Amino acid sequence: MRRWERTVRQLPGPVKAVAKAGGRRADPLYVSMYRRRTGERRPIPPFELRARIGIRPTNLSGFFETGEEVAATVRRALADGGAPLEEAQALLDFGCGCGRVISHLARDNGHAVRLHGCDVDANAVAWAGRAYPSVDFTASGYAPPLPYPDGRFDVLYSISILTHLDETSQDAWLAELKRILAPGGVALLTTNGEHVLDWYLTSPAAVERVHGMRERLAARGRLGDEGFVFEPYTRAAWHDADFSGVEESYGLTFHSERYVRERWGEWFEVLRFEPAAINSGQDLVLVAKRHG
């Protein structure tokens, strides 16, 4: 990490917002220099879209590398679960953002799987639609329904979406994902486990991500018998742009494996649960829609 980035992390929120504004203005030059240095020719989303996905906006190589890593894990997990992407007819990236992951699947789509992405961030979806015309991108609402017919997809995945929803929203979206998944279809979803909760409570690097939530998370304690912890983000004018398209209930969510198997089992058959297997330590959950 560059020294100035470490400094920005430690700034008070309003000052950090000013620093980000400066980074945004300088971004076209930074991107141009990066392209000249690396020879990179793939589409690069603008600063504000990269800033919303949990990767330092100036870490352009990280944007591509993490997207490729997650895409490879999605491919591997689907194949291990008996639903290889090569045999799919239609796939949905639920919460696609600016296409960090699905762009890699589109690049390698030699089997002509129909690729779709949806997200509440209309700006991100609009940019992704221009950058990756082979993917059908759609802006969606914060609450169901999605604009797809019943059983539309035989495969879908959702990276770091159910990690931000309260229980009511989670249940509504699980029911909706079940609706649009074909019988026997497979979904790959992610959760934050106890180890991620520990990181948010103890790591200095987590301070900027919790937006004043650490004390409330600490008061909630461990996941324990309940197996579910949710705390809404503390909103402030200086970081309001980070929450494009979401409502006040958006926050941080943590699940235990037992909770996932029992609660999510009301909608799906839970095929496997892999702790810390994807997206910088999130748990990978593979589920299937039962036939009938």
Side-chain angles (χ1 to χ4, degrees):
M1 184 187 300
R2 297 175 187 270
R3 182 179 301 174
W4 74 268
E5 289 179 339
R6 291 196 297 269
T7 302
V8 168
R9 266 188 163 175
Q10 299 166 3
L11 293 174
V15 179
K16 188 184 300 181
V18 174
K20 285 184 177 180
R24 187 177 298 108
R25 288 192 294 270
D27 193 56
L29 176 60
Y30 186 85
V31 169
S32 177
M33 293 173 60
Y34 174 80
R35 288 193 183 281
R36 287 201 298 269
R37 184 175 72 252
T38 64
E40 181 61 68
R41 291 294 176 265
R42 287 174 288 182
I44 297 177
F47 182 96
E48 60 270 18
L49 298 185
R50 304 198 311 273
R52 296 173 189 165
I53 60 177
I55 300 172
R56 189 67 47 187
T58 51
N59 186 6
L60 295 174
S61 60
F63 173 81
F64 291 113
E65 290 166 3
T66 59
E68 192 161 17
E69 289 170 4
V70 172
T73 303
V74 167
R75 282 185 172 278
R76 187 270 305 167
L78 291 175
D80 290 349
L85 188 56
E86 291 77 12
E87 298 179 7
Q89 297 183 37
L91 172 146
L92 174 67
D93 181 339
F94 173 64
C96 62
C98 57
R100 178 176 68 107
V101 176
I102 201 168
S103 60
H104 296 281
L105 299 181
R107 181 193 62 193
D108 300 329
N109 188 18
H111 297 272
V113 180
R114 293 190 293 276
L115 300 178
H116 300 256
C118 66
D119 199 279
V120 297
D121 189 338
N123 290 333
V125 167
W127 182 88
R130 295 190 296 271
Y132 311 112
S134 66
V135 180
D136 184 0
F137 289 99
T138 301
S140 56
Y142 185 69
L146 291 171
Y148 306 113
D150 295 358
R152 176 68 181 87
F153 302 100
D154 44 357
V155 176
L156 67 83
Y157 66 87
S158 181
I159 308 300
S160 195
I161 300 299
L162 295 170
T163 56
H164 294 289
L165 303 180
D166 64 15
E167 200 165 40
T168 299
S169 296
Q170 168 202 258
D171 291 355
W173 278 115
L174 288 172
E176 178 67 358
L177 295 181
K178 177 184 177 182
R179 181 188 70 79
I180 64 173
L181 197 62
V186 173
L188 186 156
L189 311 172
T190 70
T191 59
N192 289 323
E194 190 89 59
H195 56 287
V196 181
L197 178 57
D198 287 338
W199 182 80
Y200 274 106
L201 292 176
T202 62
S203 172
V207 172
E208 66 173 316
R209 299 194 186 186
V210 295
H211 296 312
M213 298 164 55
R214 179 171 279 183
E215 294 78 11
R216 286 184 281 128
L217 285 172
R220 295 290 301 271
R222 323 316 302 167
L223 286 173
D225 292 337
E226 183 181 358
F228 183 92
V229 169
F230 169 80
E231 283 294 332
Y233 282 118
T234 300
R235 301 292 189 94
W238 61 269
H239 63 69
D240 197 52
D242 294 342
F243 303 104
S244 178
V246 301
E247 298 180 2
E248 294 295 327
S249 60
Y250 190 78
L252 276 175
T253 308
F254 305 87
H255 300 75
S256 71
E257 179 177 356
R258 179 188 58 80
Y259 174 96
V260 168
R261 290 188 178 277
E262 293 179 0
R263 184 81 171 210
W264 294 16
E266 298 177 19
W267 292 275
F268 298 101
E269 177 186 357
V270 179
L271 301 176
R272 64 177 60 200
F273 185 101
E274 299 182 22
I278 194 169
N279 205 37
S280 302
Q282 292 185 4
D283 301 330
L284 185 157
V285 186
L286 200 67
V287 302
K289 180 175 176 177
R290 302 177 183 89
H291 287 277

